[in-house]
Amino acid sequence: LKVVEEDDFQIEKSDAIMSILEENTATLRLATVGIGLITLLGAAIGLMNIMLVSVTERTREIGIRKAFGASSRTLTYQFITENIILALIGSVLAIILSVLVIYYINHSHLIPYSDLAVNWKVLAWAILISIVFGLLSGVYPAWRMSKMQVVEALKQ
């Protein structure tokens, strides 16, 4: 080009493209975390409902155990432990499914040149969060069960 001619080209640095990709990735990550939290909340409510039904169905067993001297604290620990175990089973199944999907995508050439990896730190966090949500969703059913009177529980 001559000095008096107008530029008919433009220069794009990779830094600008990288910042756009980072912004999009941050937004996507935030949306994924939000969707995950909503899903966890729904799962916690479902787990709490399962345990409330379990308390209702096991009223007689609870009454018998209390009649034989089981403390409310022992029964509360039992129900919370059951809840945590249910949450852990769900998270382990989800982790197994995730690893299988990643393996399938990497080896089926479904996505060309894909090299997905399992992030074990994220999976450890998933298990920890599952334990916390299992604990939190088991507190109310366990508290409700611990407040049952022996006579009322044995009547049913």
Side-chain angles (χ1 to χ4, degrees):
L1 293 175
K2 295 181 185 173
V3 177
V4 291
E5 290 180 342
E6 193 142 331
D7 292 342
D8 61 352
F9 62 90
Q10 64 184 33
I11 298 174
E12 288 188 29
K13 292 183 180 179
S14 61
D15 296 342
I17 295 171
M18 218 27 213
S19 68
I20 291 170
L21 285 174
E22 285 176 358
E23 286 177 23
N24 290 341
T25 305
T27 304
L28 186 62
R29 185 174 294 143
L30 185 63
T32 305
V33 168
I35 291 169
L37 287 175
I38 291 169
T39 303
L40 275 173
L41 182 63
I45 291 170
L47 191 55
M48 187 181 339
N49 282 334
I50 289 170
M51 292 311 287
L52 282 170
V53 169
S54 177
V55 167
T56 304
E57 289 179 352
R58 295 166 66 183
T59 303
R60 191 161 191 76
E61 173 197 340
I62 294 165
I64 291 170
R65 290 187 65 194
K66 280 189 167 192
F68 278 109
S71 68
S72 293
R73 187 177 193 181
T74 303
L75 293 171
T76 301
Y77 285 148
Q78 175 191 343
F79 271 81
I80 288 177
T81 303
E82 287 176 13
N83 218 29
I84 290 172
I85 289 171
L86 278 174
L88 278 174
I89 289 171
S91 67
V92 167
L93 289 175
I95 287 170
I96 290 170
L97 182 64
S98 300
V99 170
L100 289 174
V101 167
I102 288 172
Y103 180 82
Y104 175 75
I105 289 173
N106 283 341
H107 290 86
S108 69
H109 304 294
L110 189 66
I111 300 173
Y113 307 110
S114 67
D115 190 24
L116 300 176
V118 176
N119 188 338
W120 297 106
K121 191 183 295 186
V122 170
L123 295 182
W125 273 103
I127 289 174
L128 180 67
I129 290 170
S130 177
I131 290 171
V132 169
F133 270 80
L135 176 70
L136 293 176
S137 63
V139 169
Y140 176 69
W143 173 80
R144 186 171 163 191
M145 176 272 317
S146 71
K147 296 301 176 193
M148 281 185 189
Q149 297 299 319
V150 177
V151 175
E152 291 297 320
L154 290 173
K155 270 190 207 176
Q156 297 181 0

